[in-house]
Amino acid sequence: MILLGLGSNIGDREQKLQQALQLLEADGKVKIEKLSSIYETVPFGVRDQADFLNMVIRVKTCLAPTELLAKCLEVEQVMGRIRTRHWGPRVIDIDLLIFDDVQIESETLTLPHPGILHRAFVLIPLRDVAPSLPLKDGRLVEALVSGLSANSVREVRHWKNVNWDSSRKCFV
């Protein structure tokens, strides 16, 4: 199972998520299989910025993990992401969360993504896509969501249910 997390807090956030999905599928090397609802979330780390829209998607790909990461970074660049401030505002953020059972720790890629276990804005949409997925520590996503603090859960609000129409490249 290959899972990506997406977020945006600049401009038309929903449109930015949709554009990122279009660009991910554009060359046919990535196919979106399932997506979570969209959630509006309080910014993580740096609070003095607009709220994010976040989601998680499950994909199929012929790409290796490092190639998929490069594809995600390419989409961010095409969409105009400029990295000026750690955890700062971004037009789009695409994180490679899980790539099957692959475990990598390098300067450019860590799999599974090290922030999954501690970020409600990832765990809650991840539950929509893979509630029974065991994570690095062996606990299931559903159990991790149940163990989140009330404060963390309040910072992640359901915003909209969406589905993806790959033939039309849009939310339905």
Side-chain angles (χ1 to χ4, degrees):
M1 183 176 308
I2 303 167
L3 300 163
L4 304 176
L6 292 87
S8 175
N9 76 335
I10 295 175
D12 183 339
R13 301 168 301 165
E14 181 181 350
Q15 186 275 331
K16 299 297 181 193
L17 293 174
Q18 183 169 271
Q19 182 183 2
L21 299 183
Q22 291 166 347
L23 291 168
L24 283 168
E25 282 196 329
D27 64 4
K29 294 180 180 176
V30 174
K31 172 77 171 138
I32 297 165
E33 291 188 306
K34 188 172 184 179
L35 31 80
S36 71
S37 292
I38 299 173
Y39 292 86
E40 188 169 47
T41 65
V42 172
F44 179 82
V46 177
R47 299 290 182 142
D48 65 332
Q49 58 183 312
D51 287 350
F52 279 80
L53 288 186
N54 289 95
M55 68 187 314
V56 169
I57 63 171
R58 185 177 74 211
V59 301
K60 279 191 173 182
T61 185
C62 61
L63 302 173
T66 54
E67 294 169 325
L68 181 57
L69 176 63
K71 175 78 173 169
C72 293
L73 294 173
E74 175 188 315
V75 169
E76 289 180 351
Q77 183 179 21
V78 166
M79 291 183 63
R81 176 159 182 194
I82 301 169
R83 296 173 188 268
T84 57
R85 183 171 155 197
H86 187 59
W87 290 330
R90 46 198 90 103
V91 70
I92 193 67
D93 183 37
I94 306 172
D95 289 327
L96 178 48
L97 302 174
I98 293 172
F99 196 104
D100 296 328
D101 293 327
V102 174
Q103 294 186 17
I104 297 174
E105 283 196 38
S106 73
E107 287 183 28
T108 56
L109 179 60
T110 301
L111 285 173
H113 191 289
I116 294 174
L117 301 176
H118 311 290
R119 297 179 180 166
F121 69 90
V122 174
L123 283 171
I124 291 173
L126 182 57
R127 176 181 59 186
D128 290 354
V129 175
S132 300
L133 178 69
L135 293 178
K136 191 173 184 178
D137 68 349
R139 291 182 289 166
L140 303 181
V141 169
E142 183 65 51
L144 290 164
V145 170
S146 296
L148 290 170
S149 72
N151 268 353
S152 293
V153 172
R154 271 195 300 277
E155 292 183 347
V156 180
R157 300 170 301 280
H158 183 268
W159 194 72
K160 185 176 188 179
N161 291 328
V162 290
N163 289 304
W164 183 248
D165 183 335
S166 286
S167 64
R168 295 181 10 216
K169 305 282 189 229
C170 63
F171 290 138
V172 289

